[in-house]
Amino acid sequence: MTTIWALLTSAMRAVAVVYSVALVAGCQVDPGHGGRASREWIEQLRRGDAKGREDAAVALGNVLAVNPKLERPVTALVAALADTIDAVRVAASSALAQPGVIAIDALPGLAQMLNDSAHASVRAQGVRAIGRLLSMSALAERSKLLGSVVPAHRDGDAAVRAAVADALGRITSSATTDTIVKQTLETLVRDSMASTRLRAVEALGSLPAMARREALHTALNDSSAAVRHAAVLQVRRDTLALAEMQAQLVNLLADSSAPVRLAVVRALGSLSMARYPNVSTALRARLTDADSTIRTEASHALTRFHAQGGRDPSHEPTLLERCKQLPPRTRGC
């Protein structure tokens, strides 16, 4: 019996070794692209003309999309970040920013792209690539990445500043990054361009609830309806902020934008009438709103408001109730 057990143990160890070797080898399997192996594209990336190098960077990006663990394409693309042609640098950074690609060595090259004063598109792409690295990075690497991307929030090009907001929105909140991210997003929420302010408000979700309150107060009074709408959606996700800012939300029930009014009706409908009787009056005023959807939502909100624990007697669910019945990623509302 002992001999049989020893043989079985040896066999299992041999299988484990073979599996491990196969797994490591599998990580370096080259899928190629367009009928050519990665080594051919790497050679073209090093020695081809400008268009050929750009095509090679795109091809290697397709290779990494299939097998992001390949080391040689990553090394070649990192080197290509120093290319003299901006299209090559953009293609290389896009390839390196894909999910699963381990490209922390790309940071110096990406940081150099942020210093390209002649091409705003190159700077914006560099910020986007660093943002993707931020979303995948360990906490120890985050300070370096932030140190590269945060200064770009004062860039003269709105697309670059918007890319910074997107990058910061990818961060999982932590005590070591909260302060710098908070300060940067608060600055971007006051940006001169509405598109940048919108991205900044959407990125506030990366901050802890308390850290984003001041920026949301500002965004609720923004001159852009899209920014105000995004701010209401952020407030609705935060119970304490909803209670704290209900007076601002009540004022927004008279907003000129129907999507803003609808978002506010949905948000206020979840408050307690016992604590906020003024909300009931404000919602009742929306029963005559010019928008039929808002009238319906206000009616349902008031029903819930006065139900005192009972169920909505209507057989027709509200848009918000229908939304809650859908899977989270398909709600879209």
Side-chain angles (χ1 to χ4, degrees):
M1 181 65 72
T2 302
T3 302
I4 295 175
W5 178 252
L7 290 173
L8 286 173
T9 303
S10 299
M12 292 172 65
R13 287 176 179 170
V15 170
V17 169
V18 170
Y19 178 78
S20 299
V21 171
L23 185 62
V24 171
C27 289
Q28 298 302 318
V29 171
D30 178 19
H33 178 72
R36 299 173 64 186
S38 293
R39 68 176 183 277
E40 297 177 72
W41 288 115
I42 291 172
E43 185 63 20
Q44 180 170 314
L45 182 60
R46 290 172 177 166
R47 303 182 185 279
D49 59 16
K51 185 62 171 65
R53 298 199 303 277
E54 180 185 356
D55 291 342
V58 172
L60 290 174
N62 289 324
V63 169
L64 291 177
V66 177
N67 188 350
K69 303 300 182 183
L70 285 175
E71 297 175 359
R72 290 181 179 178
V74 170
T75 301
L77 288 166
V78 168
L81 293 175
D83 198 278
T84 56
I85 302 299
D86 59 326
V88 177
R89 300 197 298 274
V90 169
S93 65
S94 298
L96 291 169
Q98 296 182 97
V101 177
I102 307 300
I104 194 63
D105 292 340
L107 180 57
L110 294 174
Q112 190 60 36
M113 289 177 66
L114 270 58
N115 294 324
D116 188 330
S117 59
H119 305 96
S121 61
V122 173
R123 300 197 301 275
Q125 176 56 35
V127 170
R128 285 190 286 270
I130 293 176
R132 293 189 179 97
L133 290 179
L134 270 169
S135 67
M136 299 182 287
S137 66
L139 190 60
E141 302 164 345
R142 194 169 293 168
S143 59
K144 292 182 180 179
L145 294 168
L146 278 174
S148 296
V149 77
V150 164
H153 81 282
R154 299 190 182 279
D155 193 278
D157 189 274
V160 178
R161 301 194 301 274
V164 172
D166 285 339
L168 297 183
R170 293 174 176 271
I171 299 175
T172 302
S173 178
S174 71
T176 58
T177 60
D178 286 348
T179 301
I180 188 170
V181 174
K182 174 180 180 292
Q183 293 173 346
T184 305
L185 289 178
E186 285 177 346
T187 299
L188 292 173
V189 165
R190 295 174 173 83
D191 195 86
S192 59
M193 295 295 291
S195 57
T196 301
R197 298 197 302 273
L198 176 60
R199 300 287 185 85
V201 171
E202 292 171 342
L204 289 173
S206 66
L207 292 174
M210 289 297 294
R212 58 177 178 253
R213 301 277 168 77
E214 184 177 344
L216 286 176
H217 274 296
T218 300
L220 288 174
N221 295 316
D222 197 273
S223 60
S224 166
V227 175
R228 296 195 301 275
H229 182 264
V232 173
L233 296 183
Q234 288 281 3
V235 171
R236 196 178 80 186
R237 299 185 184 105
D238 182 349
T239 304
L240 293 178
L242 183 58
E244 177 186 323
M245 303 180 191
Q246 55 89 22
Q248 276 184 282
L249 293 178
V250 166
N251 291 334
L252 284 175
L253 282 172
D255 196 273
S256 59
S257 167
V260 173
R261 298 197 304 277
L262 179 59
V264 173
V265 166
R266 290 173 172 174
L268 291 177
S270 63
L271 290 173
S272 166
M273 187 186 72
R275 293 185 60 189
Y276 307 102
N278 62 312
V279 172
S280 177
T281 303
L283 287 173
R284 192 171 291 109
R286 290 301 101 201
L287 295 175
T288 57
D289 195 280
D291 188 289
S292 61
T293 303
I294 294 176
R295 295 197 300 271
T296 300
E297 287 292 299
S299 176
H300 283 289
L302 284 166
T303 301
R304 290 194 300 274
F305 220 51
H306 294 280
Q308 297 181 353
R311 293 189 175 183
D312 188 337
S314 172
H315 294 293
E316 178 188 359
T318 68
L319 293 178
L320 181 58
E321 290 164 346
R322 289 199 297 271
C323 181
K324 288 182 177 179
Q325 294 170 2
L326 295 173
R329 294 189 178 182
T330 61
R331 289 178 183 173
C333 52

